[in-house]
Amino acid sequence: GCESLESVRVETEQFSNECLFAGCTKLASFTTNEDNRLFSSKDGVLFDKEGKGLIAYPNAKESDYEVPASVEKIGKCSFFDCENLKNIILPFHLIEIERAAFSNCHHLESIKLFAANPPHAIESSFAMVDKHKCVLYVPNSSLSLYKKHPIWGAFDNIVGF
């Protein structure tokens, strides 16, 4: 297992996050070198080089996280098994949340979305997230869009801001 792994340096360009870091409860950071053509890291979080795709969030990071405004896609398994994650803020330009992105985030209490249009997501994007307790905050002008959405509408508490 990877229970004692604390950091990962991504130097290869053949990196694939297929839920590789699930169970790595002490993993606190990802790093890259500046000349990596495909990946970058910011505050220990792994992104694609342009910063438009969030690839992996370390399981041992703090409980609150604001995804950078440049992010358009949350990659598959990127927050998988992040037991510490309680509150997340997702940016205005977010378009897609891939499969299993927030799976097993049992302690997720709130998701604040700035996107006017509900980002594309599938059921497994939020597998094992307690949709009865987790509050979804969305723009007032988009409240009905989120409530009618087949995935986002599964959250019991959708609140406008």
Side-chain angles (χ1 to χ4, degrees):
C2 63
E3 295 84 13
S4 60
L5 186 65
E6 293 180 8
S7 68
V8 172
R9 183 166 180 81
V10 180
E11 294 186 18
T12 179
E13 300 187 357
Q14 302 298 318
F15 180 83
S16 170
N17 182 20
E18 289 291 332
C19 302
L20 291 175
F21 302 103
C24 300
T25 56
K26 293 183 181 173
L27 183 59
S29 72
F30 290 94
T31 58
T32 59
N33 49 13
E34 286 186 28
D35 56 347
N36 189 310
R37 294 179 312 192
L38 296 178
F39 303 105
S40 63
S41 61
K42 182 179 179 186
D43 300 324
V45 181
L46 187 66
F47 298 90
D48 65 13
K49 189 66 175 180
E50 297 81 28
K52 291 184 177 187
L54 191 153
I55 297 170
Y57 183 85
N59 297 13
K61 274 192 80 67
E62 57 274 348
S63 62
D64 298 341
Y65 184 63
E66 182 170 354
V67 175
S70 62
V71 171
E72 296 176 0
K73 180 171 81 172
I74 306 286
K76 61 187 167 219
C77 300
S78 51
F79 289 87
F80 189 94
D81 242 0
C82 286
E83 288 290 323
N84 291 341
L85 187 65
K86 290 187 178 168
N87 305 292
I88 188 154
I89 298 172
L90 302 177
F92 179 79
H93 295 290
L94 186 65
I95 297 167
E96 181 180 10
I97 298 176
E98 291 188 330
R99 104 180 137 74
F102 291 95
S103 291
N104 293 349
C105 292
H106 301 288
H107 302 292
L108 194 58
E109 296 172 2
S110 74
I111 301 170
K112 187 172 186 178
L113 277 140
F114 281 91
N117 292 313
H120 173 73
I122 59 174
E123 202 169 311
S124 75
S125 300
F126 298 98
M128 305 306 289
V129 169
D130 189 340
K131 294 171 193 73
H132 303 295
K133 290 183 183 175
C134 183
V135 180
L136 189 62
Y137 295 96
V138 301
N140 277 322
S141 60
S142 303
L143 200 52
S144 64
L145 288 175
Y146 280 92
K147 286 184 175 185
K148 292 176 187 174
H149 192 277
I151 302 304
W152 298 107
F155 286 83
D156 288 347
N157 302 301
I158 304 176
V159 178
F161 66 88

